[in-house]
Amino acid sequence: MITKRLPENSEGIAEAARILKAGGIVAIPTETVYGLAADARNVAAVEKVFVAKGRPQDNPLIVHISDIEMLRTVAADIPKEAYRLAERFWPGPLTMVLPRDESIPACVSAGLSTVAVRMPSHEIAHNIIKESGLPLAAPSANVSGSPSPTKATHVLEDLDGKIDAVVMSGDCAVGVESTVVTLCTVPPRLLRPGGVTVDELKEVLPTLAVDPAVLAEPEEGKPVASPGMKYKHYSPKSDVIMVCGEGFADFVNSKPDCGALCFSEEAGDIDCPHVVYGSEKNPETLAEGLFSALREADTLGADTVYAHAPKTDGVGLAVYNRLIRAAGFKVMEL
Ligand code: AMP
Ligand code: MG
């Protein structure tokens, strides 16, 4: 298959919508990461997404909508909290898990009775959904297990020749996937941290609980509320070890033949090959830079890459959550 490169203008949007309506799959930019979109109501199209990514069948997709009317066509028995969250955070990087409407096929949700829904703020994503008139099932547009794509070139590295088209747009502003919260439990529960923070969510959902899988490895054999969280994920080919605490530069300088993923503030003190992923003082920059830096870490030629863990407040929680998975839960304390 030849993967079309579509321009990020009205012709590109129209072509993307045409391909999606015909049951094709298209990588589209969003404010979080690039998504691999398919008509959420078309089982054959949704199956193509799983095949192209090599995604396990038990890992559900997020359905992307352009307006609140569309929400009522994909979810059922929508609680009032959903409308309050929508008012505060949509369009934006928040996904809500709600009871699934029967018009959305079970394969979208990996057989669950729920559906994850998000309204992206990215103008191109919004316009493609609107122009196609379709709710779009879209996981991240990477090969399963590799770091999520924050640039169109990342999508092509992973999926060129496996998908119908990619909209060639700029870098994703948030850089980590959406925050996922389920409204199908009492109390509501954070399943995956992202660009919308726990403190922001608690302003609308004061009783919000945080799933234990957010910060640690899910227990073997136990069902996980958010299936994506059980996989080793976001991982470059090098062996990544997450390192917490002070004195990171001295630590990596004492290790032979390693690489490092570090903060801009400490880069000048590090002797081994290293990639800066953002500023320690500004967790938004760490989120924006993380996945690109993980891909770049593979070009350092090191078998082991030590990655300095961020603090877990604000968006730092989402960065920590992705990094611990990229490290396959291998963590060291300094
Ligand atoms: P991705 O779009 O690749 O970031 O993957 C979407 C993630 O959202 C999945 O890996 C799940 O962890 C989560 N998710 C999607 N649908 C549901 C659902 N119905 N219930 C719980 N978690 C979900
Ligand atoms: Mg993904």
Side-chain angles (χ1 to χ4, degrees), residues 33 53 55 59-62 64 95 97-98 108-109 112-117 138-142 148 177-178 180 182 191-192 224-229 231 233-234:
V33 301
K53 281 180 60 82
R55 186 175 177 98
N59 195 358
L61 311 183
I62 294 170
H64 293 68
T95 295
V97 174
L98 297 164
V108 168
S109 297
L112 299 170
S113 61
T114 54
V115 63
V117 192
S140 51
N142 54 311
S148 296
E177 304 85 345
S178 56
V180 179
T182 179
L191 301 181
R192 177 174 78 180
V224 286
S226 179
M229 292 285 96
Y231 295 107
H233 216 144
Y234 318 117

Side-chain angles (χ1 to χ4, degrees), residues 152-237:
T153 50
H154 296 161
V155 177
L156 290 168
E157 270 167 37
D158 278 16
L159 297 173
D160 197 9
K162 296 182 181 166
I163 61 178
D164 294 291
V166 51
V167 180
M168 303 296 292
S169 185
D171 297 1
C172 301
V174 178
V176 290
E177 304 85 345
S178 56
T179 302
V180 179
V181 63
T182 179
L183 297 180
C184 295
T185 58
V186 181
R189 184 174 284 262
L190 177 81
L191 301 181
R192 177 174 78 180
V196 172
T197 65
V198 172
D199 288 343
E200 288 171 328
L201 279 174
K202 281 190 170 167
E203 289 168 22
V204 180
L205 301 173
T207 61
L208 181 76
V210 175
D211 198 272
V214 165
L215 279 173
E217 184 167 18
E219 263 177 68
E220 187 108 15
K222 259 198 164 176
V224 286
S226 179
M229 292 285 96
K230 73 183 174 204
Y231 295 107
K232 177 172 175 178
H233 216 144
Y234 318 117
S235 195
K237 292 168 199 84

Side-chain angles (χ1 to χ4, degrees), residues 239-263 265-277 300 302-309 332-334:
D239 196 26
V240 178
I241 298 175
M242 185 166 97
V243 181
C244 303
E246 305 290 319
F248 182 74
D250 288 342
F251 169 76
V252 289
N253 289 343
S254 73
K255 294 278 174 190
D257 306 324
C258 67
L261 199 68
C262 64
F263 307 136
E265 288 85 352
E266 62 202 0
D269 299 325
I270 291 177
D271 301 329
C272 66
H274 56 274
V275 183
V276 170
Y277 72 109
L300 295 177
D303 291 337
T304 303
V305 172
Y306 293 101
H308 202 174
M332 287 183 56
E333 294 287 338
L334 291 177

